[in-house]
Coordinates of all heavy atoms in Angstrom, one line a residue:
M1382 N 5.3 -2.9 9.4 CA 6.2 -3.9 8.9 C 6.5 -4.9 10.0 O 6.9 -4.4 11.1 CB 7.5 -3.3 8.3 CG 7.3 -2.3 7.2 SD 6.7 -2.9 5.7 CE 7.9 -4.1 5.2
V1383 N 6.4 -6.1 9.7 CA 6.8 -7.1 10.8 C 8.1 -7.8 10.4 O 8.6 -8.6 11.2 CB 5.6 -8.1 11.0 CG1 4.4 -7.4 11.6 CG2 5.3 -8.9 9.8
G1384 N 8.6 -7.6 9.2 CA 9.8 -8.2 8.8 C 10.2 -7.6 7.5 O 9.4 -7.1 6.7
V1385 N 11.5 -7.6 7.2 CA 12.0 -7.1 5.9 C 13.1 -8.0 5.4 O 13.8 -8.7 6.2 CB 12.6 -5.6 6.0 CG1 11.5 -4.6 6.4 CG2 13.7 -5.6 7.1
G1386 N 13.3 -8.1 4.1 CA 14.3 -8.9 3.5 C 15.7 -8.4 3.8 O 15.9 -7.2 4.2
T1387 N 16.7 -9.2 3.7 CA 18.0 -8.8 4.0 C 18.6 -7.7 3.2 O 19.5 -7.0 3.6 CB 19.0 -10.1 3.9 OG1 18.9 -10.6 2.6 CG2 18.6 -11.1 4.9
Q1388 N 18.0 -7.5 2.0 CA 18.5 -6.4 1.1 C 17.7 -5.2 1.2 O 18.0 -4.2 0.4 CB 18.6 -7.0 -0.3 CG 19.6 -8.1 -0.5 CD 19.6 -8.6 -1.9 OE1 19.0 -8.1 -2.8 NE2 20.4 -9.6 -2.1
V1389 N 16.7 -5.2 2.0 CA 15.8 -4.0 2.2 C 16.5 -3.0 3.1 O 16.8 -3.3 4.2 CB 14.4 -4.4 2.7 CG1 13.6 -3.1 3.0 CG2 13.7 -5.3 1.7
T1390 N 16.8 -1.8 2.6 CA 17.4 -0.7 3.4 C 16.4 0.5 3.6 O 16.6 1.3 4.4 CB 18.6 -0.2 2.7 OG1 18.3 0.3 1.4 CG2 19.7 -1.3 2.6
E1391 N 15.3 0.5 2.8 CA 14.4 1.7 2.8 C 13.4 1.6 3.9 O 12.8 2.6 4.3 CB 13.6 1.7 1.5 CG 14.5 1.9 0.2 CD 14.9 0.5 -0.3 OE1 14.8 -0.5 0.4 OE2 15.3 0.5 -1.5
L1392 N 13.1 0.4 4.4 CA 12.1 0.2 5.4 C 12.6 -0.6 6.6 O 13.6 -1.4 6.4 CB 10.9 -0.5 4.8 CG 10.2 0.2 3.6 CD1 9.2 -0.8 3.0 CD2 9.5 1.4 4.1
S1393 N 12.0 -0.5 7.7 CA 12.4 -1.2 8.9 C 11.2 -1.8 9.6 O 10.0 -1.3 9.4 CB 13.1 -0.2 9.9 OG 14.2 0.4 9.3
V1394 N 11.4 -2.8 10.4 CA 10.3 -3.4 11.2 C 9.7 -2.3 12.0 O 10.4 -1.5 12.6 CB 10.9 -4.5 12.1 CG1 9.8 -5.0 13.1 CG2 11.3 -5.7 11.2
G1395 N 8.4 -2.2 12.0 CA 7.7 -1.2 12.8 C 7.2 -0.1 11.9 O 6.3 0.7 12.4
D1396 N 7.8 0.1 10.7 CA 7.3 1.1 9.8 C 5.8 0.8 9.4 O 5.4 -0.3 9.3 CB 8.1 1.2 8.6 CG 9.5 1.9 8.8 OD1 9.7 2.5 9.9 OD2 10.4 1.7 7.9
R1397 N 5.1 1.9 9.2 CA 3.7 1.8 8.7 C 3.8 2.0 7.2 O 4.5 3.0 6.7 CB 2.8 2.8 9.3 CG 2.6 2.6 10.8 CD 1.9 3.8 11.5 NE 0.9 4.5 10.6 CZ -0.4 4.1 10.5 NH1 -0.8 3.1 11.1 NH2 -1.1 4.8 9.7
V1398 N 3.2 1.2 6.4 CA 3.3 1.4 4.9 C 1.9 1.2 4.3 O 1.0 0.5 4.8 CB 4.3 0.4 4.3 CG1 5.7 0.6 4.8 CG2 3.8 -1.1 4.5
A1399 N 1.8 1.8 3.1 CA 0.7 1.5 2.2 C 1.3 0.7 1.1 O 2.4 0.9 0.7 CB 0.1 2.8 1.7
V1400 N 0.5 -0.3 0.6 CA 1.0 -1.2 -0.4 C 0.2 -1.1 -1.7 O -1.0 -1.2 -1.7 CB 1.0 -2.7 0.1 CG1 1.4 -3.6 -1.0 CG2 1.8 -2.8 1.4
D1401 N 0.9 -0.8 -2.7 CA 0.3 -0.9 -4.1 C 0.3 -2.4 -4.4 O 1.3 -3.0 -4.6 CB 1.1 -0.1 -5.1 CG 0.6 -0.3 -6.5 OD1 -0.4 -1.0 -6.7 OD2 1.2 0.3 -7.4
P1402 N -0.9 -3.0 -4.5 CA -0.9 -4.5 -4.8 C -0.5 -4.9 -6.2 O -0.3 -6.1 -6.4 CB -2.4 -4.8 -4.5 CG -3.1 -3.6 -4.8 CD -2.2 -2.4 -4.4
S1403 N -0.4 -4.0 -7.1 CA -0.1 -4.3 -8.5 C 1.3 -4.8 -8.6 O 2.2 -4.1 -8.1 CB -0.4 -3.1 -9.4 OG -1.7 -2.9 -9.5
L1404 N 1.5 -5.8 -9.3 CA 2.9 -6.4 -9.5 C 3.1 -6.3 -11.0 O 2.5 -7.0 -11.8 CB 2.9 -7.8 -9.1 CG 2.6 -8.1 -7.6 CD1 2.5 -9.5 -7.3 CD2 3.7 -7.4 -6.7
Y1405 N 4.1 -5.4 -11.4 CA 4.4 -5.2 -12.8 C 5.7 -5.9 -13.2 O 6.5 -6.2 -12.3 CB 4.6 -3.7 -13.1 CG 3.4 -2.9 -12.6 CD1 3.6 -2.0 -11.5 CD2 2.2 -2.9 -13.2 CE1 2.6 -1.2 -11.0 CE2 1.2 -2.1 -12.7 CZ 1.3 -1.3 -11.6 OH 0.3 -0.5 -11.2
C1406 N 5.8 -6.2 -14.4 CA 7.0 -7.0 -14.9 C 8.2 -6.0 -15.1 O 9.4 -6.4 -15.0 CB 6.7 -7.8 -16.1 SG 6.7 -6.8 -17.7
Y1407 N 8.0 -4.8 -15.4 CA 9.0 -3.7 -15.6 C 9.8 -4.1 -16.9 O 10.9 -3.5 -17.1 CB 9.9 -3.5 -14.4 CG 9.1 -3.0 -13.2 CD1 8.8 -3.8 -12.2 CD2 8.7 -1.6 -13.2 CE1 8.1 -3.3 -11.1 CE2 8.0 -1.1 -12.1 CZ 7.7 -2.0 -11.1 OH 7.0 -1.5 -10.0
E1408 N 9.4 -5.0 -17.7 CA 10.2 -5.4 -18.8 C 9.4 -5.3 -20.1 O 10.0 -5.2 -21.2 CB 10.6 -6.9 -18.7 CG 11.6 -7.1 -17.5 CD 11.9 -8.6 -17.3 OE1 11.3 -9.4 -17.9 OE2 12.8 -8.8 -16.4
C1409 N 8.1 -5.4 -20.1 CA 7.3 -5.4 -21.3 C 7.3 -3.9 -21.9 O 7.8 -3.0 -21.3 CB 5.9 -5.8 -21.1 SG 4.8 -4.7 -20.2
R1410 N 6.8 -3.8 -23.1 CA 6.9 -2.5 -23.8 C 6.1 -1.4 -23.0 O 6.4 -0.3 -23.0 CB 6.4 -2.6 -25.2 CG 4.9 -3.1 -25.3 CD 4.5 -3.4 -26.8 NE 3.3 -4.2 -26.8 CZ 2.3 -4.0 -27.6 NH1 2.4 -3.0 -28.5 NH2 1.2 -4.7 -27.5
Y1411 N 5.0 -1.8 -22.4 CA 4.2 -0.9 -21.6 C 5.0 -0.4 -20.4 O 5.0 0.8 -20.1 CB 2.9 -1.5 -21.3 CG 2.0 -1.7 -22.5 CD1 1.7 -3.0 -22.9 CD2 1.5 -0.7 -23.2 CE1 1.0 -3.3 -24.0 CE2 0.8 -0.9 -24.4 CZ 0.5 -2.2 -24.8 OH -0.3 -2.5 -25.9
C1412 N 5.5 -1.4 -19.6 CA 6.3 -1.0 -18.4 C 7.5 -0.1 -18.8 O 7.8 0.9 -18.1 CB 6.7 -2.2 -17.7 SG 5.4 -3.1 -16.8
R1413 N 8.1 -0.4 -19.9 CA 9.3 0.3 -20.3 C 9.0 1.8 -20.7 O 9.9 2.6 -20.7 CB 10.1 -0.4 -21.4 CG 10.8 -1.6 -20.9 CD 11.8 -2.1 -21.9 NE 11.3 -2.2 -23.3 CZ 10.8 -3.3 -23.9 NH1 10.9 -4.4 -23.3 NH2 10.4 -3.2 -25.1
T1414 N 7.7 2.0 -21.1 CA 7.3 3.3 -21.5 C 6.5 4.0 -20.4 O 5.8 5.0 -20.7 CB 6.6 3.3 -22.8 OG1 5.4 2.4 -22.7 CG2 7.5 2.8 -23.9
G1415 N 6.5 3.5 -19.2 CA 5.8 4.1 -18.1 C 4.3 3.9 -18.1 O 3.6 4.6 -17.3
H1416 N 3.8 2.9 -18.8 CA 2.4 2.6 -18.8 C 2.2 1.3 -18.1 O 1.6 0.3 -18.7 CB 1.9 2.6 -20.2 CG 2.0 3.9 -20.9 ND1 3.1 4.2 -21.8 CD2 1.2 5.0 -20.9 CE1 2.9 5.4 -22.2 NE2 1.8 5.9 -21.7
N1417 N 2.6 1.2 -16.9 CA 2.6 0.0 -16.1 C 1.2 -0.6 -16.0 O 1.0 -1.8 -15.9 CB 3.1 0.2 -14.7 CG 4.6 0.6 -14.7 OD1 5.0 1.2 -15.7 ND2 5.3 0.4 -13.7
N1418 N 0.2 0.3 -16.0 CA -1.2 -0.2 -15.9 C -1.6 -1.1 -17.0 O -2.6 -1.8 -16.9 CB -2.2 1.0 -15.8 CG -2.1 1.9 -17.0 OD1 -1.1 2.3 -17.4 ND2 -3.3 2.3 -17.5
L1419 N -0.9 -1.1 -18.1 CA -1.2 -1.9 -19.2 C -0.2 -3.1 -19.3 O -0.1 -3.8 -20.3 CB -1.1 -1.1 -20.5 CG -2.1 0.1 -20.6 CD1 -1.8 0.9 -21.9 CD2 -3.5 -0.4 -20.6
C1420 N 0.5 -3.4 -18.3 CA 1.6 -4.4 -18.2 C 1.0 -5.7 -18.8 O -0.1 -6.2 -18.5 CB 2.0 -4.7 -16.8 SG 3.2 -6.0 -16.6
E1421 N 1.8 -6.3 -19.7 CA 1.4 -7.6 -20.4 C 1.4 -8.8 -19.4 O 0.8 -9.8 -19.7 CB 2.3 -7.8 -21.6 CG 2.1 -6.8 -22.7 CD 3.1 -7.0 -23.8 OE1 4.2 -7.6 -23.6 OE2 2.8 -6.4 -24.9
R1422 N 2.2 -8.6 -18.3 CA 2.3 -9.7 -17.3 C 1.8 -9.3 -16.0 O 2.4 -9.7 -14.9 CB 3.7 -10.3 -17.3 CG 4.1 -11.0 -18.6 CD 5.5 -11.6 -18.5 NE 6.5 -10.6 -18.5 CZ 7.2 -10.2 -19.6 NH1 7.0 -10.8 -20.7 NH2 8.1 -9.3 -19.5
W1423 N 0.8 -8.4 -15.9 CA 0.4 -7.8 -14.7 C -0.1 -8.9 -13.7 O -0.7 -9.9 -14.1 CB -0.8 -6.8 -15.0 CG -1.4 -6.2 -13.8 CD1 -1.1 -5.1 -13.2 CD2 -2.6 -6.7 -13.1 NE1 -1.9 -4.9 -12.1 CE2 -2.8 -5.9 -12.0 CE3 -3.4 -7.9 -13.2 CZ2 -3.8 -6.1 -11.1 CZ3 -4.4 -8.1 -12.3 CH2 -4.6 -7.2 -11.2
A1424 N 0.2 -8.7 -12.5 CA -0.3 -9.6 -11.4 C -0.6 -8.7 -10.2 O -0.3 -7.5 -10.2 CB 0.8 -10.6 -11.1
A1425 N -1.2 -9.2 -9.2 CA -1.6 -8.4 -8.1 C -1.7 -9.2 -6.8 O -2.2 -10.4 -6.9 CB -2.9 -7.6 -8.3
I1426 N -1.2 -8.7 -5.7 CA -1.3 -9.3 -4.4 C -2.8 -9.4 -4.1 O -3.5 -8.5 -4.2 CB -0.6 -8.5 -3.4 CG1 0.9 -8.4 -3.7 CG2 -0.8 -9.1 -2.0 CD1 1.7 -7.4 -2.9
G1427 N -3.2 -10.6 -3.8 CA -4.6 -10.9 -3.5 C -5.5 -11.2 -4.7 O -6.7 -11.5 -4.5
V1428 N -4.9 -11.1 -5.9 CA -5.7 -11.4 -7.1 C -5.0 -12.6 -7.8 O -5.6 -13.6 -8.0 CB -5.7 -10.2 -8.1 CG1 -6.5 -10.6 -9.4 CG2 -6.4 -9.0 -7.4
T1429 N -3.7 -12.5 -8.1 CA -3.0 -13.6 -8.8 C -2.0 -14.2 -7.8 O -1.4 -15.2 -8.1 CB -2.3 -13.1 -10.0 OG1 -1.4 -12.1 -9.6 CG2 -3.3 -12.5 -11.1
T1430 N -1.8 -13.6 -6.6 CA -1.0 -14.2 -5.6 C -1.7 -14.1 -4.3 O -2.6 -13.3 -4.2 CB 0.4 -13.5 -5.4 OG1 0.2 -12.1 -4.9 CG2 1.1 -13.4 -6.8
A1431 N -1.3 -14.9 -3.3 CA -2.0 -14.9 -2.0 C -1.7 -13.7 -1.2 O -0.7 -13.0 -1.5 CB -1.6 -16.2 -1.3
G1432 N -2.5 -13.3 -0.3 CA -2.2 -12.3 0.6 C -3.1 -11.1 0.7 O -3.0 -10.3 1.6
G1433 N -4.0 -10.9 -0.2 CA -4.9 -9.7 -0.2 C -5.8 -9.6 1.0 O -5.9 -8.5 1.5
A1434 N -6.3 -10.7 1.5 CA -7.2 -10.6 2.6 C -6.6 -11.3 3.8 O -7.3 -11.6 4.8 CB -8.6 -11.3 2.3
A1435 N -5.3 -11.6 3.8 CA -4.6 -12.2 4.8 C -4.2 -11.3 5.9 O -4.1 -10.1 5.7 CB -3.4 -13.0 4.3
Q1436 N -4.0 -11.8 7.1 CA -3.5 -10.9 8.2 C -2.1 -10.4 7.9 O -1.8 -9.3 8.2 CB -3.4 -11.7 9.5 CG -3.1 -10.8 10.7 CD -3.1 -11.6 12.0 OE1 -3.4 -12.8 12.0 NE2 -2.9 -10.9 13.1
F1437 N -1.3 -11.2 7.2 CA 0.1 -10.7 6.8 C 0.2 -11.0 5.3 O -0.3 -12.0 4.8 CB 1.1 -11.5 7.6 CG 1.1 -11.3 9.1 CD1 0.5 -12.2 9.9 CD2 1.6 -10.1 9.7 CE1 0.4 -12.0 11.3 CE2 1.5 -9.9 11.0 CZ 0.9 -10.9 11.8
A1438 N 1.0 -10.2 4.7 CA 1.3 -10.4 3.2 C 2.7 -10.0 3.0 O 3.3 -9.2 3.7 CB 0.3 -9.6 2.4
V1439 N 3.2 -10.6 1.9 CA 4.6 -10.2 1.5 C 4.5 -9.3 0.2 O 3.7 -9.7 -0.7 CB 5.4 -11.5 1.2 CG1 6.8 -11.1 0.6 CG2 5.6 -12.3 2.4
A1440 N 5.2 -8.2 0.2 CA 5.1 -7.3 -0.9 C 6.5 -6.9 -1.3 O 7.4 -6.7 -0.4 CB 4.2 -6.1 -0.6
P1441 N 6.8 -6.6 -2.6 CA 8.1 -6.1 -3.0 C 8.2 -4.7 -2.3 O 7.3 -3.9 -2.2 CB 7.9 -5.9 -4.5 CG 6.8 -6.9 -4.9 CD 5.9 -6.9 -3.7
V1442 N 9.4 -4.4 -1.9 CA 9.7 -3.1 -1.3 C 9.3 -1.9 -2.3 O 8.9 -0.9 -1.8 CB 11.1 -3.0 -0.8 CG1 12.1 -2.9 -2.0 CG2 11.3 -1.8 0.1
A1443 N 9.4 -2.1 -3.6 CA 9.1 -1.1 -4.5 C 7.6 -0.8 -4.5 O 7.2 0.3 -4.9 CB 9.5 -1.5 -5.9
N1444 N 6.8 -1.6 -3.9 CA 5.3 -1.4 -3.8 C 4.9 -0.8 -2.5 O 3.7 -0.6 -2.3 CB 4.6 -2.8 -4.0 CG 4.7 -3.3 -5.4 OD1 5.8 -3.4 -6.0 ND2 3.6 -3.6 -6.0
C1445 N 5.9 -0.6 -1.6 CA 5.5 -0.1 -0.3 C 5.9 1.4 -0.2 O 6.9 1.8 -0.6 CB 6.3 -0.8 0.8 SG 6.0 -2.6 0.8
V1446 N 4.9 2.2 0.3 CA 5.1 3.6 0.5 C 5.1 3.8 2.0 O 4.1 3.5 2.7 CB 4.0 4.4 -0.2 CG1 4.2 5.9 0.2 CG2 4.0 4.2 -1.7
K1447 N 6.2 4.3 2.6 CA 6.2 4.5 4.0 C 5.3 5.6 4.4 O 5.2 6.7 3.8 CB 7.7 4.9 4.4 CG 7.9 4.9 5.9 CD 9.3 5.1 6.2 CE 9.5 5.3 7.7 NZ 10.9 5.5 8.1
L1448 N 4.5 5.4 5.5 CA 3.6 6.4 6.0 C 4.1 7.0 7.2 O 4.9 6.4 7.9 CB 2.3 5.7 6.4 CG 1.5 4.9 5.2 CD1 0.3 4.2 5.8 CD2 1.1 5.9 4.2
P1449 N 3.7 8.3 7.4 CA 4.2 8.9 8.7 C 3.6 8.2 9.9 O 2.5 7.7 9.8 CB 3.7 10.4 8.5 CG 2.5 10.3 7.6 CD 2.8 9.1 6.7
S1450 N 4.3 8.3 11.0 CA 3.7 7.8 12.2 C 2.5 8.7 12.6 O 2.5 9.9 12.3 CB 4.7 7.7 13.3 OG 5.2 9.0 13.6
M1451 N 1.6 8.1 13.2 CA 0.4 8.9 13.7 C -0.1 8.4 14.9 O 0.0 7.2 15.2 CB -0.6 9.0 12.6 CG -1.3 7.7 12.3 SD -2.5 8.0 11.0 CE -3.8 6.9 11.5
S1452 N -0.7 9.3 15.7 CA -1.3 8.8 17.0 C -2.7 8.4 16.7 O -3.2 8.6 15.6 CB -1.3 10.0 18.0 OG -2.0 11.1 17.4
A1453 N -3.3 7.8 17.7 CA -4.7 7.3 17.5 C -5.6 8.5 17.4 O -5.3 9.5 17.9 CB -5.1 6.5 18.8
P1454 N -6.7 8.3 16.6 CA -7.6 9.4 16.5 C -8.2 9.8 17.8 O -8.4 9.0 18.7 CB -8.7 8.9 15.5 CG -8.5 7.4 15.4 CD -7.1 7.1 15.9
R1455 N -8.6 11.1 18.0 CA -9.1 11.5 19.2 C -10.5 10.9 19.5 O -10.9 10.6 20.6 CB -9.3 13.1 19.2 CG -7.9 13.7 19.5 CD -8.1 15.2 19.5 NE -7.9 15.7 18.2 CZ -8.0 16.9 17.7 NH1 -8.4 17.8 18.5 NH2 -7.7 17.2 16.5
T1456 N -11.3 10.7 18.5 CA -12.6 10.1 18.6 C -12.7 9.0 17.6 O -12.1 9.1 16.5 CB -13.7 11.1 18.4 OG1 -13.6 11.7 17.1 CG2 -13.7 12.2 19.5
R1457 N -13.4 8.0 17.9 CA -13.6 6.9 17.0 C -15.1 6.9 16.5 O -16.0 7.1 17.4 CB -13.3 5.6 17.7 CG -11.9 5.4 17.9 CD -11.6 4.1 18.7 NE -10.2 4.0 19.0 CZ -9.4 3.1 18.4 NH1 -9.9 2.2 17.6 NH2 -8.2 3.0 18.7
P1458 N -15.3 6.8 15.3 CA -16.7 6.7 14.8 C -17.4 5.5 15.3 O -16.7 4.5 15.5 CB -16.6 6.7 13.3 CG -15.1 6.6 13.0 CD -14.3 6.7 14.2
S1459 N -18.6 5.6 15.5 CA -19.4 4.4 15.9 C -19.3 3.3 14.9 O -19.5 3.6 13.7 CB -20.8 4.8 16.2 OG -21.6 3.6 16.3
S1460 N -19.0 2.1 15.3 CA -19.0 1.0 14.3 C -20.3 0.8 13.6 O -20.4 0.2 12.6 CB -18.4 -0.2 14.9 OG -19.3 -0.7 16.0
S1461 N -21.4 1.2 14.3 CA -22.7 1.0 13.7 C -23.0 2.0 12.6 O -23.8 1.8 11.7 CB -23.8 1.1 14.8 OG -23.8 2.4 15.3
R1462 N -22.3 3.1 12.6 CA -22.5 4.1 11.6 C -21.4 4.1 10.5 O -21.7 4.5 9.4 CB -22.4 5.5 12.2 CG -23.6 5.8 13.1 CD -23.5 7.2 13.8 NE -22.7 8.1 13.1 CZ -22.0 9.0 13.7 NH1 -21.9 9.1 15.0 NH2 -21.3 9.9 13.1
C1463 N -20.3 3.5 10.8 CA -19.2 3.6 9.8 C -18.3 2.3 9.9 O -17.8 2.1 11.0 CB -18.4 4.8 10.0 SG -17.1 5.1 8.8
P1464 N -18.1 1.6 8.9 CA -17.2 0.4 9.0 C -15.8 0.8 9.4 O -15.3 1.9 9.0 CB -17.2 -0.1 7.5 CG -18.4 0.5 6.9 CD -18.7 1.8 7.5
A1465 N -15.2 0.0 10.1 CA -13.9 0.3 10.7 C -12.9 0.6 9.6 O -12.0 1.5 9.8 CB -13.4 -0.9 11.5
R1466 N -12.9 -0.1 8.5 CA -11.9 0.2 7.5 C -12.1 1.6 6.9 O -11.1 2.3 6.6 CB -12.1 -0.8 6.3 CG -11.3 -2.1 6.5 CD -11.5 -2.8 5.3 NE -10.1 -2.7 4.6 CZ -9.6 -3.7 3.9 NH1 -10.3 -4.8 3.7 NH2 -8.4 -3.6 3.4
Y1467 N -13.3 2.0 6.7 CA -13.6 3.3 6.2 C -13.1 4.4 7.2 O -12.5 5.4 6.9 CB -15.0 3.5 5.9 CG -15.4 4.8 5.3 CD1 -15.2 5.1 4.0 CD2 -15.9 5.8 6.1 CE1 -15.5 6.3 3.4 CE2 -16.2 7.0 5.6 CZ -16.0 7.3 4.2 OH -16.3 8.5 3.7
A1468 N -13.4 4.1 8.5 CA -13.0 5.1 9.5 C -11.5 5.2 9.5 O -11.0 6.4 9.6 CB -13.5 4.6 10.9
A1469 N -10.8 4.2 9.4 CA -9.3 4.3 9.4 C -8.8 5.1 8.2 O -8.0 6.0 8.4 CB -8.7 2.9 9.3
T1470 N -9.4 5.0 7.1 CA -9.0 5.7 5.9 C -9.4 7.2 6.1 O -8.5 8.1 5.9 CB -9.7 5.2 4.6 OG1 -9.3 3.9 4.5 CG2 -9.4 6.0 3.4
T1471 N -10.5 7.4 6.6 CA -11.0 8.8 6.8 C -10.1 9.5 7.8 O -9.6 10.6 7.6 CB -12.4 8.9 7.3 OG1 -13.2 8.2 6.3 CG2 -12.9 10.3 7.5
S1472 N -9.7 8.8 8.9 CA -8.9 9.4 9.9 C -7.5 9.8 9.3 O -7.0 10.8 9.6 CB -8.7 8.4 11.1 OG -7.8 8.9 12.0
Y1473 N -6.9 8.9 8.6 CA -5.6 9.2 8.0 C -5.7 10.3 7.0 O -4.8 11.2 7.1 CB -5.1 7.9 7.3 CG -3.8 8.1 6.7 CD1 -2.6 8.3 7.5 CD2 -3.6 8.3 5.3 CE1 -1.4 8.5 7.0 CE2 -2.3 8.5 4.8 CZ -1.3 8.6 5.6 OH 0.0 8.9 5.1
Q1474 N -6.7 10.4 6.2 CA -6.8 11.5 5.2 C -6.9 12.8 5.9 O -6.3 13.8 5.5 CB -8.0 11.2 4.3 CG -7.7 10.1 3.3 CD -8.9 9.8 2.4 OE1 -10.0 10.1 2.8 NE2 -8.7 9.2 1.3
S1475 N -7.7 12.9 7.0 CA -7.9 14.1 7.7 C -6.5 14.6 8.3 O -6.2 15.8 8.4 CB -9.0 14.0 8.7 OG -8.6 13.2 9.8
R1476 N -5.7 13.7 8.7 CA -4.4 14.1 9.3 C -3.5 14.6 8.2 O -2.7 15.5 8.4 CB -3.8 12.9 10.0 CG -4.5 12.7 11.4 CD -3.7 11.8 12.3 NE -2.3 12.1 12.5 CZ -1.8 13.0 13.3 NH1 -2.6 13.7 14.1 NH2 -0.5 13.2 13.4
L1477 N -3.6 14.0 7.0 CA -2.7 14.4 5.9 C -3.1 15.9 5.5 O -2.2 16.7 5.2 CB -2.9 13.6 4.6 CG -2.2 12.2 4.6 CD1 -2.6 11.5 3.4 CD2 -0.7 12.4 4.7
G1478 N -4.3 16.2 5.6 CA -4.8 17.6 5.3 C -4.6 18.6 6.4 O -4.7 19.8 6.2
A1479 N -4.2 18.2 7.6 CA -4.0 19.1 8.7 C -2.8 20.0 8.4 O -1.8 19.6 7.8 CB -3.8 18.3 10.0
T1480 N -3.0 21.3 8.9 CA -1.9 22.2 8.7 C -1.1 22.5 9.9 O -0.1 23.2 9.9 CB -2.5 23.6 8.2 OG1 -3.5 24.0 9.1 CG2 -3.1 23.4 6.8
S1481 N -1.6 21.9 11.1 CA -0.8 22.1 12.3 C -0.6 20.8 13.0 O -1.0 19.8 12.6 CB -1.6 23.0 13.3 OG -2.9 22.4 13.5
Ligands
LIG297 ZN1 5.1 -5.1 -17.8

């Protein structure tokens, strides 16, 4: 996080987050019954609003899931064998599964 709104208490600058890009209305019949994926006014960051491929994006705090801090991976996969984005995901998943 590089900035938070004045009413945000759940997150702080410096936190790492994953962002659900879907923007639900929370008012339609589907949202009210827990079927947000069928939202009648569905929108998404990077699809119906700007920010999906930008260096910085603004997201509602409800769409942000705080991630644990983590150190850099011990080894980095070769960029010729594995795209950087995939490597980052793989590295994070392996840390989630770690038992020690
Ligand atoms: Zn809705």
